[in-house]
Amino acid sequence: MYSFACDYLEGCHEEVLKALTETNMEQLPGYGTDRYTKEASDEIRTACQDKAATVWFISGGTQTNQLVIDTMLQPYEGVLAARSGHVNVHEAGAIEFSGHKVLVLPSHDGKVAARDVEDYVKNFYNDENHEHMVFPGMVYISHPTEFGTLYSADELKALSKVCRENHLKLYLDGARLGYGLEADGTDVTLPLIAQLTDVFYIGGTKAGALCGEALVFPGGREPSHFITRIKQHGALSAKGRLTGVQFAALFKGNLYGRICRRGIETGMQIRQIFKEAGCSFYIDSPTNQQFVILTNDEIAALKQYVDFSFWEALDETHTVVRFASSWATTDNGIRQLREAVSCCIHRK
Amino acid sequence: MYSFACDYLEGCHEEVLKALTETNMEQLPGYGTDRYTKEASDEIRTACQDKAATVWFISGGTQTNQLVIDTMLQPYEGVLAARSGHVNVHEAGAIEFSGHKVLVLPSHDGKVAARDVEDYVKNFYNDENHEHMVFPGMVYISHPTEFGTLYSADELKALSKVCRENHLKLYLDGARLGYGLEADGTDVTLPLIAQLTDVFYIGGTKAGALCGEALVFPGGREPSHFITRIKQHGALSAKGRLTGVQFAALFKGNLYGRICRRGIETGMQIRQIFKEAGCSFYIDSPTNQQFVILTNDEIAALKQYVDFSFWEALDETHTVVRFASSWATTDNGIRQLREAVSCCIHRK
Amino acid sequence: MYSFACDYLEGCHEEVLKALTETNMEQLPGYGTDRYTKEASDEIRTACQDKAATVWFISGGTQTNQLVIDTMLQPYEGVLAARSGHVNVHEAGAIEFSGHKVLVLPSHDGKVAARDVEDYVKNFYNDENHEHMVFPGMVYISHPTEFGTLYSADELKALSKVCRENHLKLYLDGARLGYGLEADGTDVTLPLIAQLTDVFYIGGTKAGALCGEALVFPGGREPSHFITRIKQHGALSAKGRLTGVQFAALFKGNLYGRICRRGIETGMQIRQIFKEAGCSFYIDSPTNQQFVILTNDEIAALKQYVDFSFWEALDETHTVVRFASSWATTDNGIRQLREAVSCCIHRK
Amino acid sequence: MYSFACDYLEGCHEEVLKALTETNMEQLPGYGTDRYTKEASDEIRTACQDKAATVWFISGGTQTNQLVIDTMLQPYEGVLAARSGHVNVHEAGAIEFSGHKVLVLPSHDGKVAARDVEDYVKNFYNDENHEHMVFPGMVYISHPTEFGTLYSADELKALSKVCRENHLKLYLDGARLGYGLEADGTDVTLPLIAQLTDVFYIGGTKAGALCGEALVFPGGREPSHFITRIKQHGALSAKGRLTGVQFAALFKGNLYGRICRRGIETGMQIRQIFKEAGCSFYIDSPTNQQFVILTNDEIAALKQYVDFSFWEALDETHTVVRFASSWATTDNGIRQLREAVSCCIHRK
C-alpha cells in the first residue's frame, strides 16, 4: 500500500547512493576531515553566498536542535519558540535535558511573529523580577513550519531585525528546508537565510539523504571549541564521510533543489485531489505536507487504499490528517491516491 | 598512500552496500519500526542465544556510551572504568555532561580486574562518609580494550560475579567486538557475553557498517521508556532503516564474523612483519590493533610510505605507534607495509 | 517607612531566636543527625498525624523545589504546573537546569484544576507520538498559591484522586503553608495534606524562621539515597542544627500556627482598609497577600508613606500592587497603612 | 563527652549571635540587597585590599563549589584538583551533576603543585586527540587543604603564574580559610589571595557563623548574570540578611581572625598532647586539624572519654584519626583530652 505517512519513507536519492557506492572503498580520515566533507561544505558555502560560513554535519534533527540551542545559549538563557514548535513539543525534552527552558510564544499557523518577540522581550526587561526568570536568548523558527507554512522574506527580515536589536540569536530549523526553498511563490532563498539568521540547518534526512543535516553558521560565527562540544553531546560521527559524500552529491549542480521540487509538485497534486473532492484544509500549506479535514468514515475508507497519518481530532466526527509527499513520491503513488479519494470521498 | 591509521577508513562492506542499494526505494516506517530492523534484532538475538534480549541501533559509539551509562545508572551513581578506558579519556566529557562521574580503577593492559572492583566497593561501603560520595553503580569494560587486549572467559566471569554480588551493572563496550570474537585462542563468545553482562554493544562503525552500533540488553532488561530516553539524548534516528538494513546484512550468515576475521588475519600479518624486523611491542595484542615501539627516525622514514598513528612518546628517542587493520585491509596494503618496513627498519 | 513589600522582611520569631540562643554552644553532630532535628521531625510527624513520614530540612524554597522535582521524577518526566506557578516563572530555570520540563496547565486564580490534569493526561496518552514527548510525572501546586488563594479540601481530594489514578506524584509547595492553614474558613489541614500528597514542604523562611523549609514525605516514601542526592544538589547543610532548632521551636505547642494566624489577622485588616477606601481587588485572597487595584496616582502618593510591591500593570492608568503581611506585622504598621490610605485614596 | 569530631559542632560566635539578635526585627529587603550584606561586602573588600572585588554570600560549601566551578568554566572544560581534593571525593558528584569532569592531579600532602599543572596542560595540548578530551579550565585548591596543610606564598604564586600563562582559572576553597590565615609562620594573607586567585571563598560555617560562605571575585571579575545563575542553582537565599549580618559581625574589627586564632592555639595544644604521649602524625599540620596515628586499642580506650573521627586504616593494627579544634574549643575540652590521652596511651 502506497504511503504518504511522512516524508522519510525511502532511503536516499539514486545520485546520492551512487556517490556512496563510488567512494565506498576509498580510505578517508575520520571526524569530518575527509575531502568529501570539505567539498560539501564548499558547495553549501557557495549556495549560501557566504564564503566565511562554517558547515558541520550532524546525523539527525533532534541532535542538531539540542546541540545548537545548548551551545549558542548562555546557561541562564532559554529559547523562544511557537507553542507548536518542534522543540517545544516533540523532542522528548531534549532541550531541557541540556538545561534550557523553552519559552513559549503564540503560534500563527506555526510561525513566530516579530511583534510577539518584541513584546516578550519588552515585558521581560520591564519586569523588576526578571533576574529571577529565564532570560530569552534565542528565537527558534522552523521553515517550513511543522504545518508546512512558510515565512515571507519580509517576515524573516522583521524577525531578524528584532533579534539583532535585542541580542537574541535567530535559529532556523530547516528539517524540510528544500521544500521551503522550492515552493511556488516564495521569496526566501538560501543566501537570504544566511544573511538573516545566526545559525540554521539544511535538512538531509527528509530531502534525499539516508541521514544527516548540514548545520550552517553564517559568517563562521560558531561557538568556540565546537567540535569538542559536538563530541560531548555524543553527536560527532567517526565516519564523517557518510554525511560528507551525501551532501557533496546533493549540492553538486543543485540536486537538492531539483529533487525537493518534486516534493512540491506532488504536494500540490495531493492538494488538488482533495480540493476537487470538495474537502477543506486545516491550514493552507504551499509545501509537501497537506493537512486535510476528513470525516472519520472517510478516513476509515481511505485507509484501506493508502497510508497517511493522524494529526488531530477536530470534533466528534471530523479529524485532521496529514498527507506528506517528498522527493521520492511516485506518479504511481499519486495515481493510487486519486483513485482512493474518488472511491471513498463523496461530497457535494 | 596506504593507511593503517585507524579501523574506520573505508565505507561499508560490499554486502552491506548491496543490501542498502536493494532496499533503497522501499517505503519503510521510521524510528526503528521497519522490518529490517526487526530482522537485524532477530538475527542478533539468535547469535546471542538469548531470545528475550532487546536490541537497539544507535548511530555512534560516544552516543551509545553516554546513553547506556546515563540511563542504567541512578543519578547518584558513577561508572567504574580503567584509567585508560575510553569513557574516562576520550569522550570529551560526554559522561559527565549527563551528570555521572567516572570512578577510576587501575588499568591492567587496558583491562579491569575483578579484584580491583571488589576492593573499590568494599572500601566504599566501609567509608563512614560514603553517603557524601558517588556510589559505584556500573563497571565499564571494553572488549577488545583500547590496547587491543582481550578478557578471557574466566576474567569476564569473575567480573560478572563481583558485579552481581555487589549490585553493579556490567557494561561491555564492543566498538571492536567482532575483532575480539574472531581472535585466535579466545574463549569469549557472543552468548557468553550475553550471559555475563547487563548490557553491551556490537560495534558496526569499525566492523563493516557505514555507521551504527547494536545495543543489546540481555534478557530484555532495558531501562523503562527507553525509546523516549534515546530521543531525549538526541540519539533516535528517523530513518532507522539505515542501521536496520546494515545489521540485518551483517548478521545474516555471520557475515560480521567472517569479515572481522579478515581484520585479525591482517593484524597478525602486521605483527609478524614487525616481529621479523626485530621490533618490540608496547603491548601484546591478539587483535587488529598493533602497538609497535619504533625509533623516531624509523617513524619518519616509514611515514613516507604508509600511514599509521602516533600513540605515545616512550622516551626521548622511541615512540609507540599504532597500526590498525580491519575487515577492509587489502593484500596490497599489507604488501606495501612489508616493503616499507624492510626498506626503513634495520635492526640486528 | 513601614514595609508590606513581602513576607520575609524580618528575621525570626523571638521564640525561635531564643531557642537558637539557648542551644548555641551545645556541641551537636552535623548533617541533620542532631537531636533538635530529630525533635523537629517528631513534632512535624505528630502535627501531620503520620508516624511514618520522613522529614528533611532544606535551606530555601528554590532549592527544595529543584530537589523534589528532580529526585521524584524519572528523567523522561516533566512536572505539570499552572502557568502562573512559581516553578514555571520565577525559579530562573532551576527546574530545567536539572533536566526537567515544566508542562503548563491553565491557572484558575493560581490554582490547578483536577479536570485539566485529567484532560492533559488523556490527551497525552491518546497522542500516538507521545513517546516523542515529555511524560507528565508530577503535579505541582502551591498552597496558598502565588495569588494568596487556597484549595478547598474537595479540590485537593480531586487532584489527589486524579494523580493516583494516573500515577502522577502530587507535590504541594507550602512556602506560605502556615498562612493557608490559619486562614478563616479553610477545611485543609496538615494531616489532610499528608494524606493527599506524595510530598510537600512547610515553609519556614516566610513563617517565623531565619531560613529553612521542612520537606515532608508522607508514609516515608522518599527517593532512595535521598541524603546523597541532597548533597549532590548542593543542598545538604553541615550545621543541620540551624534548621533543626528552629523547626523544633516552631512546632512545639504549635507556635507555627499561632504566629501565622497573626499574618492572617493583619492580612484581613489590610483588606478591610482598602475595602473601606472603595478599592477593588485583583483577586479575592483569604491569606496574607492582598492584591489591590490602584490608580497610578494613588500608588505614587501611597509610596511616600508605606512600602509595598508592584504586581502587574492592568491598563494605562491602573496597576495591581501587593501588600503582604506576616507573623511579624505590627499594629503600628497597620496603623500607618490606615492613615496613608485615608490620606491618599479618595474614591466616591 | 567533649567532641573533637569536626570543626562545626557549635552554633555561632557570641558576637555573631548578638548581631543577629539586635537586628532581628529590623525590616530588610531580600536577596542580598540589605544594608548588612553591603556592610559585610565592604568589610571584606577592605580586608582583601581590593576595592573592586565583588562578594556574594552562599549558604554552604558544596553549593559554593558547584556554583563556582559550573559558572566559571566553559561547558567543555573540567577542573583540575588533587586526587584528595574535596570536589573529587566528598561532594557526592555535585560537580559532575552540573556537567563538569574533575581532572585528577597528584596530591602532595593535599596540595597541588604548579609543576604538575604545567605538565598536565602541556601533555594535553600536545595530544593530537585533545579535542576529544575534556579541556582543563580551572585549578581547584583548598587552603588549608583537607589534611590541614598550607600553601606557602611562593607555592601560591607559582600556581597563579602557571594558571595565568595557560588561561586557567585559579579557585581557592577557603572552607577553613581563617585557620590558614592565623596559622603560625604562614606568609599567605587575604590580600595576597585576592591578588593571586580568580575566585575564592572565606568559610563561615567552620569559623564562627551559623551558616554561610563569602564568595569573593577579585577585581569584580564575576560571571555575567551571576545572581540569576545563583538562583538557577537553587542557591539564592531570600533572607540574605542571615549571612549579611553574620559576616558583617565577623569582619568588623577582624573578629574572624581573632576567633580563628583560638582554633590554631587549641590545635597546637592537641598536637602537643599527642607529641608528648609519643604518638606520631600522619601528616604535619599547622592548623586546626590534627591527624594522629593510633593503635586500634588506643582508639577504643580514648573513645570512652572524648570523641574524634576516623580518617583511614593504616594497617591491621593502626588507624589514622582526626582531632579537630575550632574557634569554639574550650579549655575544659583540651583538659579532658589531656587526661584521656594520659590515661589511655602508654608509649615508651
Side-chain angles (χ1 to χ4, degrees), chain C residues 286-308:
Chain C
T287 61
N288 70 316
Q289 300 183 86
Q290 296 297 321
F291 300 84
V292 192
I293 299 170
L294 298 178
T295 67
N296 297 345
D297 290 344
E298 289 166 348
I299 289 169
L302 267 180
K303 276 276 178 187
Q304 298 183 292
Y305 300 94
V306 290
D307 201 12
F308 49 91

Side-chain angles (χ1 to χ4, degrees), chain C residues 60-66 68-69 79 81 84-88 90-91 95 110 138-146 149-151 156 170-180 193 197-204 206 213-216 256:
Chain C
T62 306
Q63 190 66 270
T64 308
N65 283 335
Q66 186 192 66
V68 166
I69 293 170
V79 57
S84 56
H86 204 69
V87 294
N88 189 42
H90 285 115
E91 296 291 33
I95 309 310
M138 175 186 272
V139 172
Y140 164 94
I141 58 173
S142 43
H143 181 85
T145 68
E146 294 73 12
T149 52
L150 293 175
Y151 288 86
L156 273 192
L170 180 57
Y171 169 39
L172 183 148
D173 174 338
R176 297 184 170 95
L177 186 54
Y179 303 113
I193 291 170
T197 69
D198 295 284
V199 56
F200 65 98
Y201 82 83
I202 304 170
K206 288 166 179 156
E213 326 295 330
L215 180 58
V216 184
Y256 186 72

